Amino acid sequence: MLNQLKLQQGLPIEIKIKDRVISRDNFTIIAGPCTIENYDDLKEIALELKTLGISFLRGGAFKMRTSPYSFQGLGIIGLEYMQQVCQETGLISVSEIVSLEDIDIMVEYIDILQVGTRNMQNYRLLKKLGKTNKPILLKRGMSNTIEEWLFAAEHILAEGNSKVILCERGIRTFETQTRNTLDISAIPLIHNLSDLPVIVDPSHSSGRKDLIKPLSLAAAAVGAEGLMIETHFSPTETKCDSEQTITIQKFRELLEPLKQIISIWKKSLN
Ligand code: PEP
Ligand code: MN
C-alpha cells in the first residue's frame, strides 16, 4: 500500500515559522514542561531555554490523561499563558490539539499544533488540520505501524497543508522497564519513504529521566531532524510526567555531546 503515498516525496520540506526553519538541514529542539501549570513557571522555563539557544517551547494545555482523576490541563488559560510567554520571549509555541472543537482557538494561540499519539488516527481532525496553514507535529500512534503513520500524515498533506513534522514517541511492546519502546529504526526508514522531517521524543518513549540523554544522542546518530524533550527547573514538583522530565541542568549537559553527534552525522553525508 505504500505506493499509494503520493505526496511525501519531492516536497520542498522547509517549514518556516516566524524566522525559524525546520528542515532536513537544521536540528530542531523543542523543550519545555509536559503541561502548562501557571504563568510564572512557564516563563522561567522559557527564559532558561532561551539562554541555551532553544527556539521552541512545548507545553500542553489540554491533556489526554489515562485517568480522568489526573490533572487535565489548564485549558484556555494555559493557551493564554503560552501565547503571552512566547510573545515576551520570542519563542515558538508547540501544544497539543486534542479535539476538533478546539481548532479555532488552537490556531489563534499556538504556532505548531501537536497531534498526540491517541489521536493519530483521528482522520477528521487530521483533515481539518490539513485545511489550516499551521505546522503540524504528528506523533506516531503507540500501536501504529510506520505505514499507518505515514498515511495519517498523508491525510493532512492531501488537504493542502504540507507543513507536517513527524514525531517518533515510542510504541507499545512487551517490555515493562520503559513506558514505550523507542523505534529508532523508524527514523532512517522514514527517510527512505518520505521527505517529511522526523523528530524523536525520548521522554514519552522511555518514561525515564536516565534514558533521555542516551536516546537523544541515538536519535541524532541516526539522522533525526530534531528532538522533543520534557524539561522543567523542578521536575519533582510537576503535576504530570515528573518521572521522565529532566532538569534544565541535565538538559544543558546534553547539548554539547548532541552537537558533536550532529556534526558527525552531517560529515557522514558528504
Ligand atoms: C505530549 O507530548 O504531551 C504527549 C501527551 O505525548 P504523546 O501523545 O506522545 O503521549
Ligand atoms: Mn508528557
Side-chain angles (χ1 to χ4, degrees):
M1 205 161 83
L2 278 170
N3 60 0
Q4 282 184 22
L5 290 171
K6 293 190 188 139
L7 303 168
Q8 307 211 17
Q9 287 189 338
L11 288 169
I13 295 299
E14 277 226 326
I15 300 175
K16 296 200 176 85
I17 314 148
K18 298 184 180 166
D19 59 343
R20 313 299 146 81
V21 179
I22 297 178
S23 73
R24 284 272 164 102
D25 301 325
N26 273 336
F27 197 86
T28 298
I29 302 180
I30 302 169
C34 179
T35 182
I36 303 157
E37 296 188 22
N38 56 63
Y39 169 83
D40 289 340
D41 289 3
L42 190 66
K43 180 80 183 271
E44 186 170 338
I45 295 164
L47 288 173
E48 296 212 35
L49 291 174
K50 194 175 173 185
T51 63
L52 297 176
I54 302 301
S55 305
F56 298 87
L57 179 67
R58 64 151 285 140
F62 296 98
K63 297 302 296 181
M64 299 278 273
R65 305 303 299 280
T66 302
S67 164
Y69 310 115
S70 302
F71 180 57
Q72 304 288 305
L74 290 181
I76 293 172
I77 297 170
L79 297 179
E80 284 170 0
Y81 293 157
M82 186 55 118
Q83 187 185 51
Q84 196 181 338
V85 165
C86 286
Q87 276 167 358
E88 289 162 355
T89 57
L91 295 184
I92 291 165
S93 59
V94 182
S95 197
E96 181 174 348
I97 175 157
V98 300
S99 167
L100 261 179
E101 71 199 68
D102 300 331
I103 208 150
D104 292 340
I105 187 131
M106 292 297 295
V107 164
E108 184 184 336
Y109 283 92
I110 300 298
D111 299 314
I112 300 180
L113 306 184
Q114 176 177 323
V115 176
T117 195
R118 293 165 183 80
N119 262 320
M120 190 210 85
Q121 287 183 304
N122 185 341
Y123 298 119
R124 288 195 60 208
L125 176 63
L126 300 179
K127 283 182 201 301
K128 262 272 161 70
L129 291 170
K131 292 200 160 65
T132 71
N133 62 4
K134 290 281 176 177
I136 310 297
L137 181 66
L138 179 64
K139 288 197 151 195
R140 179 178 182 177
M142 62 182 90
S143 304
N144 287 113
T145 64
I146 290 171
E147 184 175 279
E148 287 162 343
W149 185 19
L150 291 175
F151 273 104
E154 192 89 3
H155 277 272
I156 303 170
L157 300 172
E159 296 297 325
N161 185 353
S162 62
K163 297 182 210 160
V164 179
I165 306 140
L166 300 169
C167 178
E168 162 62 39
R169 51 79 69 207
I171 50 175
R172 284 210 157 166
T173 67
F174 50 79
E175 184 51 66
T176 54
Q177 295 298 310
T178 46
R179 184 174 172 178
N180 292 281
T181 297
L182 174 61
D183 181 7
I184 200 79
S185 54
I187 290 84
L189 233 154
I190 285 184
H191 286 156
N192 290 339
L193 297 169
S194 169
D195 287 341
L196 296 175
V198 51
I199 72 167
V200 168
D201 171 350
S203 309
H204 294 89
S205 356
S206 68
R208 303 173 54 131
K209 302 182 208 301
D210 59 333
L211 298 189
I212 304 305
K213 182 173 174 183
L215 295 185
S216 299
L217 299 182
V222 293
E225 276 77 33
L227 289 165
M228 177 151 85
I229 299 178
E230 287 185 338
T231 180
H232 192 284
F233 54 83
S234 182
T236 49
E237 289 172 58
T238 58
K239 289 198 171 99
C240 182
D241 286 353
S242 55
E243 45 322 308
Q244 68 195 34
T245 301
I246 56 169
T247 59
I248 309 265
Q249 176 58 26
K250 286 271 175 238
F251 177 76
R252 180 186 303 133
E253 287 166 18
L254 166 70
L255 297 177
E256 193 44 48
L258 190 61
K259 253 190 228 153
Q260 291 175 23
I261 306 255
I262 296 165
S263 115
I264 293 170
W265 169 261
K266 282 196 178 149
K267 278 189 203 133
S268 79
L269 298 176
N270 298 328

